[in-house]
Amino acid sequence: MNNRKNILSPSILAADFAKLGKEIEETNRGGAEYLHFDVMDGVFVPSISFGMPVLQSVRKITNQVLDVHLMITEPERYVEEFARCGADIITVHFETLKYPEKVLKQIRDLGVKVGLSVNPETSIHAVEPYLDMVDMVLVMTVRPGFGGQKYIDYCTDKVKYLRGIIDEKGYNVDIEVDGGINKTNLKMILEAGANVIVMGSAVFGENTYENTVQFNEILKA
Ligand code: DX5
Ligand code: ZN
């Protein structure tokens, strides 16, 4: 299809937290290189999820790349601690940043990878000035806040547009998509140009291992 590296990032928001270690081990064994970690503050998004102590525990049990998605206001107050707790990638939302350059640089200086995210309603043009400061752009494909929502179709065009800009200008930037991705739309999203694929409810459940293997095969095809 192309020579980009496609990566699966299962979102543990959809895991059974009473057996989180086992669920993570199944995604690791199934070949998921990343693990997506959704932090929600009840302010930027309506719900509250989990934070540093959980990340610290997860760090101890896996070598997967910990892909931390901060759905929180004033992320600059917390990025240092998330890096200390084991994040490998820290993604902040454009909508939460007063001085984007400053926060992106702050993350870079912590020695972790830098991600910048946009909500479905936010124009993709918002990220263009920062493409030389980030490793990844996360294009939200649902309104952030909950797992298990339906993919918003118009977000596909944002991914296509961004892939065009990145390739044309030669940036080394991954495109991550997050929300409502499942086996019916996965190939379409890869073809649009995304290469880091978050999947929550489609991966976790009775067959976490088998689901991971199945989706990873599609990504690696
Ligand atoms: C939504 C989160 C997502 C969510 C994806 O706010 O950022 O990572 O867990 O879950 P699914 O794949 O179930 O839509
Ligand atoms: Zn997420």
Side-chain angles (χ1 to χ4, degrees), residues 13-149:
L13 189 63
D16 178 349
F17 296 116
K19 44 178 187 175
L20 185 57
K22 181 173 173 288
E23 295 255 55
I24 290 173
E25 191 276 324
E26 288 187 35
T27 67
N28 198 6
R29 196 156 41 87
E33 290 162 66
Y34 285 14
L35 205 58
H36 188 79
F37 194 93
D38 283 312
V39 180
M40 303 181 181
D41 67 352
V43 180
F44 177 61
V45 289
S47 193
I48 296 175
S49 59
F50 42 71
M52 293 89 170
V54 179
L55 183 64
Q56 235 169 345
S57 296
V58 169
R59 179 71 291 168
K60 289 186 199 142
I61 60 151
T62 184
N63 290 321
Q64 284 160 294
V65 172
L66 298 183
D67 165 28
V68 175
H69 176 194
L70 295 182
M71 287 166 275
I72 64 177
T73 56
E74 299 182 71
E76 61 276 12
R77 292 172 58 200
Y78 303 100
V79 288
E80 189 176 346
E81 206 176 339
F82 278 104
R84 200 166 44 75
C85 290
D88 295 298
I89 305 171
I90 296 180
T91 296
V92 289
H93 267 263
F94 175 78
E95 299 82 4
T96 66
L97 305 177
K98 231 185 190 162
Y99 305 105
E101 282 99 345
K102 201 172 160 196
V103 183
L104 298 175
K105 182 166 185 318
Q106 186 190 2
I107 300 172
R108 171 76 66 218
D109 290 345
L110 291 166
V112 299
K113 286 194 168 184
V114 185
L116 181 60
S117 181
V118 278
N119 280 345
E121 294 84 358
T122 303
S123 166
I124 196 65
H125 297 301
V127 303
E128 285 184 50
Y130 309 106
L131 290 175
D132 61 346
M133 298 186 72
V134 302
D135 300 292
M136 185 166 86
V137 173
L138 165 48
V139 178
M140 286 305 300
T141 48
V142 297
R143 284 185 192 91
F146 303 97
Q149 303 182 71

